[in-house]
């Protein structure tokens, strides 16, 4: 009895609402009102021999899906990163910097920080001052592939306290001979200047020969300190004038921690021998000094300078010179306690 009741409950609704069970108004050809074959006969036809239904082969068509339904291929293109705000260099420019690294190293992290910043600023040649540990200085190169270094102790017998030196990109800068100047002039130079020959090679440009002098002059504000800096500048001007008249190099660059300001009154200005001959010498840092920019953070003074002979500017133009205020930038740590109380000063030239 239960089975019959179930059967009736299934059949009766279908008779009442045939369309709900797949039926509808029938036509003479047995199709429904959509013009399609009934579902139970779809895909079959009668066999001419047996009269039995025979399976037919379906034809598969390829249908293009609408754009919003189509399967999207995964985009493997890397998202372009924004430019590094610290980057100053490029493949077509030559960058040179002076950077007092304040009794390098400040701590065990200083070397890796310096390497990262040189890489991010994209500088070809860096003149450094106040290197106290040559072993730790070499650690910079471990984190800075494609660069090499020079220290003054490789050129002459001198103190390993507050050494000068160079970090350079080997693909652009080729070093030649290196030498120490004015070894006997200890009054004028508590630390002898480091002079080096370099050949600069940029893509699509002829090689350019430069002579670069890295100097760290006497610090202090006493009259004697100023007198010693004044004597040093006189020696340097004589040396550079002789190089300019006898060397085949395109130019001479004097840079470093010169421990004095360009904007001082003439009576107190130690740079007179250079400033009095603007046809021969140009301080690339003069506009920065006039604008109030500073490189020495504690006293906000511009004492790290870059000067070039005018012949070089005829080759490469004035370029662009900047003080990089790393102490005000978000670099992930406190710049002064980790690296230096001096900001780097960088000149960028279009190349020969």
């Amino acid at each position: 009895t239960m089975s019959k009741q179930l059967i009736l409950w299934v059949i009766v609704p279908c008779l009442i609402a045939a369309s709900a069970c797949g039926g509808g108004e029938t036509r003479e050809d047995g199709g429904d009102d959509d013009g399609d074959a009934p579902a139970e006969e779809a895909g079959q036809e009668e066999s001419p021999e047996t009269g039995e239904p025979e399976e037919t082969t379906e034809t598969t068509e390829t249908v293009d899906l609408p754009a919003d339904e189509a399967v999207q291929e995964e985009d493997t293109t890397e998202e372009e990163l924004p430019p590094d705000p610290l980057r100053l260099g490029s493949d077509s420019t030559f960058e040179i910097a002076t950077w007092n690294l304040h009794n390098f190293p400040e701590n065990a992290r200083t070397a890796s920080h310096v390497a990262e910043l040189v890489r991010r600023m994209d500088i070809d040649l860096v003149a450094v001052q106040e290197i106290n540990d040559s072993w730790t200085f070499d650690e910079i190169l471990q984190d800075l592939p494609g660069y090499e270094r020079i220290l003054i102790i490789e050129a002459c017998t001198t103190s390993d306290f507050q050494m000068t030196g160079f970090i350079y990109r080997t693909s652009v800068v080729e070093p030649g001979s290196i030498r120490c100047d004015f070894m006997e002039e200890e009054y004028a130079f508590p630390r002898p200047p480091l002079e080096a020959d370099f050949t600069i090679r940029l893509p699509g440009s002829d090689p350019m020969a430069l002579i670069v002098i890295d100097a760290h002059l006497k610090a202090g504000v006493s009259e004697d300190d100023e007198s010693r800096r004044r004597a040093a500048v006189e020696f340097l001007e004589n040396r550079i004038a002789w190089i300019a008249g006898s060397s085949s190099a395109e130019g001479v660059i004097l840079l470093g921690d010169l421990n004095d300001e360009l904007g001082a009154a003439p009576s107190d200005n130690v740079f007179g021998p250079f400033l009095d001959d603007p046809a021969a010498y140009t301080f690339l840092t003069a506009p920065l000094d006039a604008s109030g920019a500073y490189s020495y953070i504690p006293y906000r003074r511009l004492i790290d300078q870059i000067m070039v002979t005018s012949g070089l500017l005829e080759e490469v133009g004035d370029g662009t010179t900047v003080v990089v205020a790393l102490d005000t930038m978000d670099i992930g740590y406190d710049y002064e306690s980790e690296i230096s109380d001096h900001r780097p000063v960088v000149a960028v030239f279009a190349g020969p």
Side-chain angles (χ1 to χ4, degrees):
T1 304
M2 180 67 69
S3 299
K4 292 180 180 180
Q5 288 177 344
L6 290 175
I7 292 172
L8 288 174
W9 279 109
V10 170
I11 293 175
V12 170
C14 288
L15 293 175
I16 297 173
S19 61
C21 295
E25 292 183 10
T26 59
R27 300 184 309 175
E28 293 181 359
D29 59 4
D32 61 18
D33 56 1
D34 289 331
D36 295 324
E40 66 272 15
E41 295 180 11
Q44 295 181 343
E45 62 182 28
E46 188 175 289
S47 169
E49 297 180 359
T50 64
E52 296 294 327
E54 184 178 56
E55 292 289 336
T56 58
T57 303
E58 288 189 3
T59 301
T60 303
E61 294 184 6
T62 301
V63 179
D64 292 332
L65 295 175
D68 56 346
E69 296 181 15
V71 178
Q72 299 294 322
E73 293 186 6
E74 182 179 356
D75 185 3
T76 58
T77 304
E78 293 186 5
E79 183 178 353
E80 185 176 349
L81 297 176
D84 191 329
L86 285 182
R87 188 178 186 190
L88 299 170
S90 70
D91 293 340
S92 61
T93 56
F94 168 63
E95 305 81 37
I96 185 169
T98 177
W99 198 358
N100 182 319
L101 292 175
H102 189 242
N103 294 324
F104 176 92
E106 291 284 2
N107 55 49
R109 299 175 294 276
T110 304
S112 61
H113 289 331
V114 171
E116 178 195 25
L117 292 173
V118 171
R119 177 185 57 78
R120 290 183 62 186
M121 290 187 289
D122 199 11
I123 301 173
D124 295 319
L125 178 60
V126 186
V128 294
Q129 303 88 42
E130 294 196 19
I131 305 303
N132 285 348
D133 186 340
S134 60
W135 292 99
T136 306
F137 190 64
D138 286 341
E139 292 179 7
I140 294 175
L141 304 181
Q142 297 175 13
D143 296 324
L144 196 59
Y147 284 79
E148 290 293 341
R149 60 83 164 160
I150 296 169
L151 280 175
I152 193 169
I153 55 174
E154 298 163 3
C156 57
T157 302
T158 185
S159 171
D160 60 359
F161 174 68
Q162 292 195 339
M163 294 179 286
T164 52
F166 296 102
I167 301 171
Y168 62 95
R169 193 198 308 267
T170 57
S171 62
V172 175
V173 180
E174 179 184 342
S177 63
I178 57 175
R179 48 204 167 268
C180 297
D181 292 335
F182 311 113
M183 288 289 293
E184 305 301 321
E185 303 297 339
E186 294 182 2
Y187 176 78
F189 298 100
R191 297 160 289 262
L194 175 60
E195 182 179 318
D197 300 334
F198 292 108
T199 301
I200 311 302
R201 290 185 169 87
L202 292 174
S205 300
D206 294 332
M208 178 175 63
L210 293 178
I211 296 176
V212 182
I213 301 175
D214 182 5
H216 186 190
L217 302 189
K218 180 68 175 71
V221 297
S222 70
E223 289 186 8
D224 184 64
D225 295 329
E226 182 180 309
S227 176
R228 294 177 72 174
R229 289 194 293 272
R230 192 184 304 275
V233 169
E234 291 177 357
F235 279 116
L236 286 168
E237 195 279 331
N238 288 333
R239 172 65 179 168
I240 294 172
W242 181 84
I243 294 173
S246 61
S247 172
S248 60
E250 275 85 352
V252 181
I253 300 177
L254 167 66
L255 75 173
D257 180 1
L258 304 188
N259 265 312
D260 222 319
E261 296 173 283
L262 294 171
S267 59
D268 297 324
N269 201 316
V270 303
F271 299 112
F274 292 123
L275 297 175
D276 292 342
D277 194 356
Y281 309 110
T282 300
F283 275 96
L284 301 180
T285 43
L288 296 173
D289 185 85
S291 71
Y294 60 92
S295 59
Y296 185 49
I297 300 168
Y299 293 98
R300 299 197 168 198
R301 299 170 62 206
L302 184 61
I303 61 176
D304 301 273
Q305 311 289 354
I306 302 178
M307 190 215 72
V308 301
T309 52
S310 298
L312 176 60
L313 297 185
E314 294 174 2
E315 293 285 335
V316 299
D318 293 343
T320 302
T321 305
V322 297
V323 176
V324 187
L326 295 171
D327 54 302
T328 68
M329 298 179 178
D330 183 11
I331 55 176
Y333 49 85
D334 181 70
Y335 173 78
E336 287 187 74
S337 62
E338 293 286 307
I339 298 182
S340 180
D341 55 358
H342 287 248
R343 297 169 169 175
V345 181
V346 185
V348 182
F349 298 103

